[in-house]
Amino acid sequence: MCGIIGAVAQRPVADILIEGLRRLEYRGYDSAGLAVLDSTNRLQRSRAVGKVAMLATKLLETPIDGKTGIAHTRWATHGKPAEMNAHPHVSGTWLGVVHNGIIENYLALREKLGSYGYGFDSETDTEVIAHLVALHLKREGSLLKATLKARQEFKGAYALAILSPEEPNTLVVARQGSPLIIGLGIGENFVGSDIQAMLPVTNRFIYLENGDVAYVGLHKIEIYNEEGELVERPIRESRAKDSASELGEYRHFMLKEIFEQPTAIASTLENRLASGHFLPSIVGQNVMETLAKVEEIQIIACGTSYHAGMVGRYWIESMTDIPCTVEVASEYRYRRQPLRKNMLFVTISQSGETADTLAALEKIKEAKGCLASLSICNVAESSLVRESDMNLMTVAGPEIGVASTKAFTTQLLALQLLLGTLIQAKTGETDASRKLAQDLQLLPILVEQVLELNPVIEKLAEQFIDKHHSLFLGRGAQYPIALEGALKLKEISYIHAEAYPAGELKHGPLALVDSEMPVVAIAPTGLLLEKLKSNLEVVHARGGQLYVFASQNAQMKPDEQTHVIELPAVPEMLAPIVYTIPLQLLAYHVAVLKGTDVDKPRNLAKSVTVE
Ligand code: F6R
């Protein structure tokens, strides 16, 4: 999704901006652009459809540079991907703006600005920002005052960075709903929608809050809150490693991140367990009293994180008497629900910036509809973490590939940590909670072992490249894993993939099965194994091609229609995490063979900060 980088410096900034945009590429985008104030203080702009590399080439052919600049990667919402719609947008020679988010009342503002004589060169909502701030700039005489005035008229979500020849060495930025961060240098300062973009130039950051507008100069930063009062925001030093955005020996970030899972899991476990005990501090200080009161759990998330929530529900209800429901945030936020007593509201999000998930949290908080909110999140500085009462951080490290991998498995692990902590809060330590804590220690090594299947799965992937459709089957807590396997395959290889609980096959989807239909099944040992085997018999009898990821103890027999990929025997509670790995590898290798853009699949964005 859209990305912003900006700089006010005493050196040329075009290269810093281009490098920043490269680091934002993982978020997904369709065009890129940059605007600088040149040595004569004129506003110069360059934009290109396609990759940041196209913009960089354009700048080599027709160089522009200056010491104050803003740049953007655009993911089309209003208007097609085209140069005229790419940011920065300008208002004549008055100013340039880059924008993440959506201005919901842009049509009304467009009409109003039209009546003042402003013409529009794009189909975007962003251009109204440029003209409205320019209108106020003419009246107020200062870019900061103009932005403070204009923002009163914007409805929607935005992160903005604005520059103007009227005020050299200045950026004015604003945040409402979309993240925006100021990066602090010495005699220079930066702004970005993501710290990754600024890590080559600084590791000291100020995270703006909703409603903030800030003046960013060479030596001075002033932040005004929603009420227009001058405020201080804390400076945070980031330990995020620049190397996280390097590929190293890997061909794609997705493969790198799949192989980072043993480390990500080990890091997420670190300091959270002690001799069969879940350390309550994992979700915050003095939380046991609150957790002891929980009578219901509502989990809210989107996409892959939603699948994690679905598995969480199976686990929570299998080991406690707490009813748990799971819903996608985009539906929950608009649905009327009766308020429930002593409900723990759990949000799951890799980025912590997903607009629908944040809106669902806001809704429940406004209604005072829960006992407490708890986020499971991978980004400590994110909006979700800041807005939640309690947080359980996954320690997966930055995830660059658009298709979520290590974030998902660490979310599953976090749900188990939450489960163990809940059991302890409600009933004290039990044999089951102790066993869970012990089993969890095995996870990094089990995941390591399953990764050794990589060459086998790479070979297997060849059988999928000419397929147009596929089915994924699982039962119990493996059903959401089947959903996740199907999502991975469709999003990066563009093969249509659907997942079903295997017992549901006979109620319709069986009609799709023939010798052309690959059917992927997940078959660990457990209560439902024999049921699953019967479901697979039915597929076999209709000529379906079966690809079964099975426990070595499952006694699955291969034949000309049945490919069995054996996994080590694992404790039942760990199986969903372990069986995710081969499905990630399968999707990855199919996509590589099909030659798709694995890390940046078409139409998708890493961080979905708009509705
Ligand atoms: C798919 C994927 C998405 C995200 C979803 C929610 O591989 O990554 O489905 O899971 O957009 O994002 P977060 O977890 O950041 O809230």
Side-chain angles (χ1 to χ4, degrees):
M1 200 134 282
C2 306
I4 289 176
I5 169 87
V8 189
Q10 301 178 60
R11 52 177 166 156
V13 295
D15 286 348
I16 296 173
L17 299 180
I18 290 289
E19 178 57 22
L21 291 184
R22 283 203 182 101
R23 288 162 173 269
L24 293 168
E25 282 190 299
Y26 76 95
R27 294 163 67 101
Y29 69 104
D30 47 58
S31 48
L34 152 162
V36 290
L37 298 178
D38 70 10
S39 54
T40 60
N41 202 27
R42 272 184 317 176
L43 188 57
Q44 302 279 6
R45 171 171 69 157
S46 184
R47 299 178 292 173
V49 174
K51 301 287 172 202
V52 171
M54 313 280 281
L55 178 67
T57 309
K58 212 167 165 182
L59 287 174
L60 278 179
E61 285 158 7
T62 320
I64 57 169
D65 211 343
K67 296 176 183 169
T68 303
I70 51 176
H72 191 260
T73 47
R74 172 175 188 255
W75 188 77
T77 55
H78 295 63
K80 57 189 174 292
E83 190 171 321
M84 69 169 190
N85 289 328
H87 300 209
H89 288 283
V90 297
S91 183
T93 54
W94 279 84
L95 57 81
V97 62
V98 288
H99 163 221
N100 287 358
I102 289 176
I103 300 297
E104 286 172 354
N105 58 336
Y106 83 105
L107 283 175
L109 289 174
R110 220 175 146 110
E111 208 169 293
K112 169 180 160 167
L113 288 159
S115 72
Y116 285 109
Y118 285 98
F120 289 83
D121 298 325
S122 78
E123 302 157 322
T124 66
D125 52 339
T126 304
E127 209 180 347
V128 301
I129 303 174
H131 291 321
L132 195 63
V133 178
L135 178 72
H136 288 295
L137 180 57
K138 287 173 198 165
R139 294 173 180 169
E140 301 286 332
S142 126
L143 192 56
L144 177 68
K145 282 188 190 158
T147 309
L148 283 164
K149 272 261 180 235
R151 68 108 177 251
Q152 293 170 4
E153 296 186 54
F154 299 143
K155 288 205 177 81
Y158 51 84
L160 307 176
I162 311 172
L163 85 183
S164 169
E166 301 293 306
E167 280 181 53
N169 304 323
T170 301
L171 293 180
V172 171
V173 298
R175 177 200 165 149
Q176 181 64 261
S178 294
L180 198 66
I181 302 148
I182 299 174
L184 305 173
I186 299 169
E188 57 184 13
N189 288 306
F190 308 90
V191 299
S193 48
D194 182 322
I195 64 166
Q196 283 298 326
M198 295 180 275
L199 282 177
V201 282
T202 185
N203 68 342
R204 294 168 66 234
F205 300 105
I206 296 176
Y207 292 83
L208 292 181
E209 297 195 359
N210 275 336
D212 284 353
V213 173
Y215 166 93
V216 181
L218 287 171
H219 306 284
K220 185 172 84 168
I221 286 167
E222 281 177 0
I223 302 171
Y224 296 84
N225 68 9
E226 191 135 34
E227 283 71 48
E229 298 154 349
L230 190 60
V231 287
E232 295 265 325
R233 301 277 179 234
I235 297 174
R236 293 170 207 255
E237 213 149 290
S238 171
R239 285 183 293 154
K241 288 196 197 73
D242 206 10
S243 62
S245 48
E246 303 298 335
L247 268 175
E249 67 195 87
Y250 294 96
R251 187 166 160 198
H252 295 101
F253 281 107
M254 182 175 176
L255 189 64
K256 177 176 181 244
E257 287 157 7
I258 290 174
F259 273 85
E260 278 171 353
Q261 286 176 111
T263 314
I265 287 171
S267 306
T268 303
L269 277 173
E270 224 173 272
N271 302 328
R272 273 136 177 211
L273 297 171
S275 38
H277 186 75
F278 292 82
L279 298 174
S281 55
I282 60 177
V283 281
Q285 296 305 314
N286 311 322
V287 294
M288 292 308 257
E289 212 177 302
T290 309
L291 293 183
K293 289 190 203 141
V294 172
E295 287 173 16
E296 282 189 59
I297 297 178
Q298 171 72 63
I299 302 180
I300 292 295
C302 303
T304 286
S305 301
Y306 168 66
H307 296 155
M310 288 177 76
V311 179
R313 177 191 175 192
Y314 279 96
W315 284 338
I316 290 165
E317 293 194 341
S318 75
M319 287 185 72
T320 72
D321 291 327
I322 309 171
C324 176
T325 39
V326 192
E327 189 167 344
V328 287
S330 53
E331 284 301 311
Y332 183 88
R333 63 182 288 191
Y334 290 116
R335 201 164 65 71
R336 183 184 175 277
Q337 308 93 16
L339 294 180
R340 289 173 291 166
K341 241 183 91 200
N342 288 339
M343 188 241 281
L344 180 66
F345 191 80
V346 178
T347 51
I348 309 177
S349 172
Q350 181 280 129
S351 61
E353 301 296 349
T354 301
D356 286 322
T357 309
L358 284 169
L361 174 61
E362 198 179 317
K363 171 181 163 169
I364 201 80
K365 280 173 67 178
E366 260 172 28
K368 299 197 180 6
C370 64
L371 173 70
S373 58
L374 184 149
S375 82
I376 291 178
C377 190
N378 197 42
V379 181
E381 305 84 4
S382 64
S383 307
L384 194 69
V385 169
R386 279 183 279 132
E387 295 298 321
S388 301
D389 301 322
M390 301 180 249
N391 296 293
L392 208 173
M393 299 310 301
T394 51
V395 192
E399 195 180 63
I400 308 287
V402 163
S404 193
T405 52
K406 60 178 180 171
F408 176 67
T409 45
T410 51
Q411 285 169 349
L412 290 175
L413 172 56
L415 282 158
Q416 300 226 8
L417 293 172
L418 174 61
L419 171 60
T421 315
L422 264 171
I423 296 174
Q424 287 179 187
K426 300 230 34 116
T427 58
E429 244 175 77
T430 61
D431 286 348
S433 75
R434 271 189 291 273
K435 172 154 186 351
L436 183 61
Q438 277 154 11
D439 285 350
L440 285 178
Q441 308 277 12
L442 304 171
L443 250 184
I445 193 81
L446 285 171
V447 171
E448 194 92 59
Q449 278 175 23
V450 177
L451 284 168
E452 285 169 17
L453 287 172
N454 186 38
V456 177
I457 297 171
E458 189 173 2
K459 191 90 195 89
L460 191 76
E462 290 169 10
Q463 305 196 26
F464 283 71
I465 46 174
D466 58 347
K467 302 290 183 217
H468 298 290
H469 307 277
S470 58
L471 280 178
F472 282 67
L473 303 177
R475 296 203 67 148
Q478 298 293 352
Y479 163 51
I481 301 304
L483 283 167
E484 175 59 11
L487 178 63
K488 288 293 91 107
L489 187 67
K490 73 182 110 174
E491 71 183 324
I492 60 168
S493 76
Y494 316 147
I495 293 176
H496 172 218
E498 274 196 77
Y500 282 94
E504 186 65 13
L505 211 55
K506 56 189 174 292
H507 298 293
L510 196 57
L512 293 169
V513 172
D514 62 12
S515 60
E516 283 305 300
M517 176 65 89
V519 179
V520 177
I522 308 164
T525 48
L527 272 181
L528 290 169
L529 177 63
E530 292 311 314
K531 302 268 176 217
L532 178 79
K533 281 184 179 171
S534 312
N535 303 141
L536 299 187
E537 280 300 324
V538 175
V539 175
H540 193 274
R542 272 124 193 111
Q545 290 295 312
L546 282 163
Y547 299 85
V548 190
F549 293 92
S551 163
Q552 59 195 26
N553 294 342
Q555 290 168 338
M556 289 292 313
K557 300 264 175 305
D559 59 28
E560 68 292 347
Q561 262 176 265
T562 314
H563 309 262
V564 178
I565 305 93
E566 281 194 348
L567 276 75
V570 296
E572 196 170 340
M573 286 291 282
L574 304 189
I577 301 180
V578 173
Y579 280 74
T580 298
I581 313 294
L583 301 184
Q584 295 170 341
L585 287 168
L586 178 66
Y588 172 77
H589 288 299
V590 175
V592 170
L593 288 171
K594 291 194 73 182
T596 61
D597 194 347
V598 173
D599 285 332
K600 292 173 221 125
R602 67 186 181 202
N603 305 337
L604 297 182
K606 182 71 187 159
S607 183
V608 188
T609 49
V610 296
E611 195 178 340

